[in-house]
Amino acid sequence: MPANTTREAALAATLPVVPTSREVATREAALAAAPDVLTTDLGAAKMLRCGRSKVWMLMDAGELEWVRIGRSRRVVVASVHGYVARLLREQAGKRVTPTGRVSRSAKRTAA
């Protein structure tokens, strides 16, 4: 009888452990709360409030980092935040009108 019990114990050790519903819910909640690392070109376009073609131009120019997964490109979300931070630093000293143009007084002080 002990040999049979040993065989059953060995078989049980090779079987996968099925997680409980509570463990599954905890894992799903952790995944939902985790920040995204990669996004699609459309996701990056939504983040930047621009079109997909602009995102592709930024990727090709090296302004946005991307990785290839299969045949598709995924944009690194941190590079989108970095791009916006660079834009803010570049425009920090310029006063911009609501239309997006640099004001005349800012042009005079820069010259």
Side-chain angles (χ1 to χ4, degrees):
M1 198 91 135
N4 194 14
T5 308
T6 308
R7 191 177 318 144
E8 288 175 1
L11 179 62
T14 61
L15 294 175
V17 178
V18 178
T20 64
S21 60
R22 185 177 195 160
E23 291 172 334
V24 170
T26 303
R27 189 176 308 145
E28 288 175 354
L31 288 174
D36 292 335
V37 177
L38 301 174
T39 187
T40 61
D41 56 349
L42 183 60
K46 286 182 179 180
M47 290 172 71
L48 294 170
R49 305 294 194 262
C50 66
R52 288 174 57 201
S53 59
K54 179 66 175 180
V55 170
W56 278 81
M57 287 172 48
L58 293 170
M59 286 192 294
D60 291 339
E63 295 286 334
L64 295 178
E65 294 177 343
W66 56 274
V67 294
R68 187 172 294 281
I69 298 178
R71 291 177 46 192
S72 63
R73 285 187 187 186
R74 295 289 184 249
V75 180
V76 179
V77 173
S79 72
V80 175
H81 295 296
Y83 175 70
V84 172
R86 282 193 306 275
L87 289 178
L88 289 172
R89 278 194 305 271
E90 290 172 3
Q91 297 175 8
K94 300 177 184 176
R95 273 192 261 151
V96 181
T97 64
T99 59
R101 298 184 179 151
V102 177
S103 65
R104 289 182 192 157
S105 61
K107 286 181 183 177
R108 275 185 255 144
T109 58

